[in-house]
Amino acid sequence: VAFQVIEMFYVTTPYSKWCKRNGFRIIAASLTLKTVWLFLALPYLWLFDLILAALLTGFVVTTLHRLRERKRRVSDVSIWFWNTGMVLLLFSLMAHAGYLWSSKTEFETTALIAFSLFSLSVILGMMSKIVPFLVWFHLSSSGYIDTPIMSNIIPAQRNKALYILFVFTLLFALGSPFYPLFLSVAGGSFFLLFGLLGVNLIRAVRLYQHTRATGKHFSMSTDSDTASTL
């Protein structure tokens, strides 16, 4: 998804064709072969972890570089989510490496939590751009004169509040394998996070419906009547 979204919304240099063509294939092949190796109890299982780690690390470095060198220099919360997601993915790889080295289950649990939070961070970053874009695009393409601009569909203040809740959640969630009481705090923060996300989505939909119902629709009839009179 990053191959499409990063380039389109942030006007960055395209990812390499090799990465677009082969990235998924390598991940799928590595995971499939690793599963076979596990069932057959074959040696050198760590080679597949090394391949995946190298590929994902390359993705992190490339994406952070693309975002830093983007042509559209306006900063918004969605970029914060993408940057945080990339850091979480790298942290997940490091925690998994720590587990392989020490066999401490806390590290593996941390790796899984970090990977889940990486996925969530990227999803939240995409939604904060895609939802306003879709609302704006469908209204403007339908000819509504008073179509709201994208930055007003989900205000920056609510997006910033969503990001703050996410950071608060990830700090306690990542600490929960070592301090189990943190898990309850992270759960409460998750509840607030998704509650605010629901508010953002519902208000965006209501704004779309309100504009469809009451907005001024561009029409060529007036211009046609004027032309016929002349």
Side-chain angles (χ1 to χ4, degrees):
V1 175
F3 299 153
Q4 299 290 332
V5 177
I6 296 292
E7 297 175 15
M8 178 175 65
F9 284 119
Y10 307 113
V11 195
T12 68
T13 304
Y15 288 83
S16 68
K17 293 182 179 179
W18 184 93
C19 186
K20 292 180 178 180
R21 184 172 58 252
N22 298 312
F24 175 76
R25 296 175 182 176
I26 295 174
I27 291 176
S30 298
L31 291 175
T32 302
L33 290 173
K34 182 177 179 179
T35 303
V36 173
W37 251 245
L38 283 169
F39 273 104
L40 299 179
L42 296 174
Y44 305 112
L45 185 67
W46 56 269
L47 283 174
F48 300 107
D49 290 330
L50 186 62
I51 293 172
L52 290 169
L55 186 67
L56 293 176
T57 300
F59 170 70
V60 168
V61 173
T62 302
T63 301
L64 290 175
H65 178 72
R66 293 289 187 276
L67 290 173
R68 187 174 62 254
E69 301 296 328
R70 66 189 184 279
K71 298 177 183 178
R72 189 172 182 270
R73 301 302 298 176
V74 178
S75 180
D76 59 41
V77 180
S78 66
I79 296 177
W80 302 355
F81 276 113
W82 273 100
N83 286 332
T84 304
M86 294 302 101
V87 173
L88 284 167
L89 177 55
L90 191 60
F91 183 78
S92 176
L93 295 174
M94 294 171 61
H96 181 64
Y99 165 72
L100 294 177
W101 178 73
S102 65
S103 298
K104 291 185 177 180
T105 56
E106 292 86 355
F107 286 115
E108 184 70 341
T109 304
T110 302
L112 294 172
I113 293 174
F115 190 86
S116 300
L117 290 169
F118 144 71
S119 303
L120 178 59
S121 185
V122 168
I123 290 171
L124 293 174
M126 288 191 298
M127 290 179 69
S128 65
K129 296 292 289 187
I130 291 176
V131 171
F133 171 76
L134 290 176
V135 172
W136 170 84
F137 176 78
H138 284 289
L139 289 175
S140 61
S141 63
S142 298
Y144 287 93
I145 300 174
D146 49 354
T147 298
I149 60 176
M150 287 177 57
S151 59
N152 289 340
I153 295 172
I154 299 180
Q157 287 77 8
R158 290 210 303 268
N159 269 332
K160 288 180 180 178
L162 193 72
Y163 180 77
I164 292 172
L165 282 173
F166 177 75
V167 171
F168 187 82
T169 300
L170 74 87
L171 291 175
F172 281 94
L174 291 175
S176 62
F178 303 94
Y179 302 98
L181 290 177
F182 283 1
L183 189 61
S184 298
V185 181
S189 183
F190 259 121
F191 180 82
L192 296 175
L193 172 69
F194 283 102
L196 181 56
L197 176 62
V199 170
N200 286 345
L201 296 179
I202 290 171
R203 289 194 175 183
V205 171
R206 286 183 176 177
L207 180 59
Y208 171 81
Q209 294 173 336
H210 176 75
T211 306
R212 293 272 298 183
T214 63
K216 296 179 181 179
H217 196 276
F218 179 78
S219 175
M220 294 294 291
S221 59
T222 302
D223 294 339
S224 299
D225 293 342
T226 302
S228 62
T229 301
L230 294 175

